[in-house]
Structures are given as structure tokens and as C-alpha cells.
Amino acid sequence: MELHPYPADLVQAQIDYHRAYQALAADPSGSPTTQRRRLLHLSARVVFHPHWAETGAPARLEGLRRQARVLEQNPAV
């Protein structure tokens, strides 16, 4: 898979978002308010990242999500 040149902090925020989402889905009874707030914070970090202002519309967000999943599953890539 070809990796796009997304900023490292943006990719990390997307990975953190995915992990937080999975944690909430796995155990919604834990502390759902805290987990939902974390998801909201991470979502804002991803969507409003300065990278999107430089490159145009965040239509490439799906590419970021795919890249984050690949890096999360295979950090050596």
C-alpha cells in the first residue's frame, strides 16, 4: 500500500481515535461519558488539523483512515 505524506501527529490522532472508538464499543459500561469526550476531542484534532487547510478539502480523510489502520496493524511499514 502506498503511504501518503500525512503529518505524523495527524496519523497518530487518527490511530488514537480508532483505538478510543474500539474501547468504547468493547466496554460501553466502563465510563462512557469520559470515552465519548475523548472521541470528540480526537475527532476535532483530526478534522481541524492544519494539514487540511494546506491541502484543500478533507476529502482525503478516508485515505488517512486507511493509512492509520495499516500502521496500527503493522507499525513497521
Side-chain angles (χ1 to χ4, degrees), residues 2 6 8 13-14 33 36-37 39 44 47 49-50 57 61 70-71:
E2 179 183 343
Y6 294 107
Q14 180 62 45
T33 302
R36 279 187 254 143
R37 284 184 185 149
L39 279 175
V47 172
H49 192 279
L61 191 57
V70 166
L71 291 174

Side-chain angles (χ1 to χ4, degrees), residues 4-16 45-46 49 51 64 67-68 71:
H4 298 282
Y6 294 107
D9 64 323
L10 178 57
V11 173
Q12 188 59 53
Q14 180 62 45
I15 290 171
D16 293 344
R45 282 182 52 197
V46 170
H49 192 279
H51 172 74
L64 170 67
Q67 182 170 326
L71 291 174

